[in-house]
């Protein structure tokens, strides 16, 4: 459970780092599954950054009875999210994604807010959306760890347009934010978790190192947060919580039955006209 100091830090900074959120044994099992489960490779999406390098991710909506589903539904995860969202509404799972930044070839993520994407799903309340990144490998400056602008969630949503095949934030506002607020490199060890607000400005460099940077990011919303342009249903279904020990002790299914996102179905990648009007 989050203590008062952690909750205050999240509200002030827009992010919170929790060291050792997952044990080494849990992290090893998650990473091994990510490497070996063929569903991850078959359902990976490639998105070009501005330089043409590819960022790769696999995204699914409903948390299942696989090892990643057990992490997403784990008691410590859901209770932590509930504490930080702090609005009394049941916690729902929007989607999870496996981020796969391979050595030398893994592309960058341009400056953006998650709500810059999710605005197109027409979620009403950005304060009721949160992401949790769990590092499966070490993340550092050399292999393109996440960078955040501390406190930038208080800007509200800034305008977003297309940046390569990604959705990127208005760089005038990003540069103003960088002159006003602190840039933080979120270096993580395997098993560390980073909780961050949907309006926090963040990016990551391409992975030019010899080492992979893999992570799992689970995104949650409150059931009271309506989405008027989202065809999946996980976002409005309260999480079916499992005990923490499920990750290591319960039999785990394959990910092949998960409802993976297809690139052509992602509303964030479609022109709406809002990019130019707002």
């Amino acid at each position: 459970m989050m203590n008062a100091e952690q909750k205050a830090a999240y509200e002030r900074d827009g992010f919170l780092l929790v060291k050792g959120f997952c044990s080494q044994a849990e992290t090893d099992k998650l990473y091994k599954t990510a490497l070996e489960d063929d569903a991850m490779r078959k359902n990976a999406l490639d998105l070009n950054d501005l330089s043409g390098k590819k960022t790769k991710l696999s995204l699914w909506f409903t948390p299942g009875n696989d090892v990643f589903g057990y992490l997403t539904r784990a008691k410590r995860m859901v209770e932590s999210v509930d504490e930080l969202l702090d609005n009394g509404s049941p916690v729902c799972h929007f989607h999870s994604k496996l981020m796969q930044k391979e050595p030398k070839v893994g592309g960058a993520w341009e400056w953006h807010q998650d709500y810059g994407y999710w605005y197109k799903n027409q979620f009403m309340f950005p304060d009721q959306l949160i992401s949790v990144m769990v590092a499966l490998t070490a993340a550092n400056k050399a292999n393109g760890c996440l960078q955040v602008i501390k406190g930038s969630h208080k800007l509200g949503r800034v305008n977003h347009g297309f940046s390569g095949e990604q959705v990127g934030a208005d760089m005038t506002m990003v540069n103003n934010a960088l002159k006003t607020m602190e840039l933080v490199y979120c270096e993580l060890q395997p098993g560390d978790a980073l909780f961050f607000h949907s309006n926090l400005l963040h990016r990551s460099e391409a992975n030019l190192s010899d080492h992979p940077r893999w992570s799992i990011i689970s995104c949650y919303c409150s059931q009271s947060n309506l989405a008027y342009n989202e065809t999946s249903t996980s976002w409005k279904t309260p999480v079916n919580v499992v005990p923490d020990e499920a990750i290591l002790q319960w039999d785990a299914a394959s990910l092949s039955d998960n409802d993976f996102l297809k690139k052509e179905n992602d509303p964030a990648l479609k022109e709406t006209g809002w990019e130019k009007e707002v």
Side-chain angles (χ1 to χ4, degrees):
M1 297 292 286
M2 296 291 175
N3 59 40
E5 184 179 352
Q6 289 173 310
K7 289 172 69 173
Y10 174 80
E11 291 168 6
R12 180 189 67 237
D13 301 335
F15 68 97
L16 177 70
L17 172 59
V18 179
K19 305 294 289 184
F21 187 77
C22 290
S23 69
Q24 181 176 336
E26 290 171 333
T27 309
D28 288 347
K29 185 173 183 179
L30 290 161
Y31 187 40
K32 184 173 187 289
T33 302
L35 292 172
E36 295 179 355
D37 194 308
D38 202 40
M40 286 296 193
R41 181 185 59 79
K42 288 181 177 178
N43 291 282
L45 309 178
D46 286 331
L47 297 175
N48 292 325
D49 64 15
L50 280 176
S51 72
K53 283 185 175 291
K54 294 186 180 298
T55 59
K56 185 181 292 186
L57 64 89
S58 305
L59 185 152
W60 62 97
F61 296 97
T62 305
N65 293 318
D66 55 89
V67 67
F68 289 106
Y70 294 154
L71 171 66
T72 298
R73 297 161 54 200
K75 182 174 184 286
R76 68 177 178 269
M77 176 72 87
V78 178
E79 289 187 351
S80 296
V81 166
D82 190 36
E83 287 283 325
L84 294 178
L85 290 177
D86 192 25
N87 70 349
S89 183
V91 172
C92 302
H93 171 261
F94 178 26
H95 63 246
S96 287
K97 47 196 178 234
L98 178 72
M99 313 299 291
Q100 305 152 56
K101 254 193 192 184
E102 299 291 13
K104 302 296 186 185
V105 297
W109 282 99
E110 313 298 342
W111 280 113
H112 69 281
Q113 300 163 312
D114 287 343
Y115 193 59
Y117 284 76
W118 301 340
Y119 183 80
K120 291 189 177 183
N121 303 91
Q122 297 177 30
F123 279 101
M124 297 302 293
F125 305 114
D127 287 341
Q128 295 180 31
L129 290 158
I130 190 172
S131 297
V132 187
M133 171 186 280
V134 176
L136 303 182
T137 63
N140 48 51
K141 290 182 181 180
N143 67 5
C145 70
L146 203 70
Q147 302 171 33
V148 304
I149 303 179
K150 189 175 181 178
S152 58
H153 63 304
K154 295 181 180 178
L155 294 170
R157 186 186 72 88
V158 303
N159 191 29
H160 283 66
F162 288 106
S163 188
E165 282 189 307
Q166 301 173 22
V167 175
D170 178 351
M171 285 306 298
T172 298
M173 287 299 292
V174 170
N175 289 326
N176 289 342
L178 287 167
K179 289 185 282 188
T180 309
M181 291 168 269
E182 181 184 357
L183 172 65
V184 178
Y185 288 82
C186 297
E187 296 192 297
L188 307 177
Q189 290 301 312
D192 292 349
L194 185 74
F195 295 75
F196 57 101
H197 190 282
S198 70
N199 268 334
L200 184 74
L201 282 165
H202 59 285
R203 74 178 296 265
S204 62
E205 294 277 9
N207 181 5
L208 303 180
S209 77
D210 295 323
H211 305 285
R213 184 175 79 77
W214 286 43
S215 61
I216 174 78
I217 303 179
S218 291
C219 307
Y220 298 88
C221 66
S222 301
Q223 192 179 38
S224 55
N225 192 11
L226 301 179
Y228 288 95
N229 186 36
E230 177 51 52
T231 57
S232 67
T233 58
S234 180
W235 62 271
K236 57 184 176 182
T237 306
V239 175
N240 181 14
V241 179
V242 300
D244 292 338
E245 56 266 24
I247 299 170
L248 289 179
Q249 297 180 11
W250 287 18
D251 289 337
S254 167
L255 287 138
S256 58
D257 294 331
N258 284 10
D259 46 353
F260 286 94
L261 173 69
K262 302 298 183 186
K263 191 172 180 179
E264 62 270 18
N265 295 332
D266 188 351
L269 301 180
K270 301 181 187 301
E271 282 277 4
T272 65
W274 295 347
E275 296 90 352
K276 300 178 180 65
E277 292 173 5
V278 296

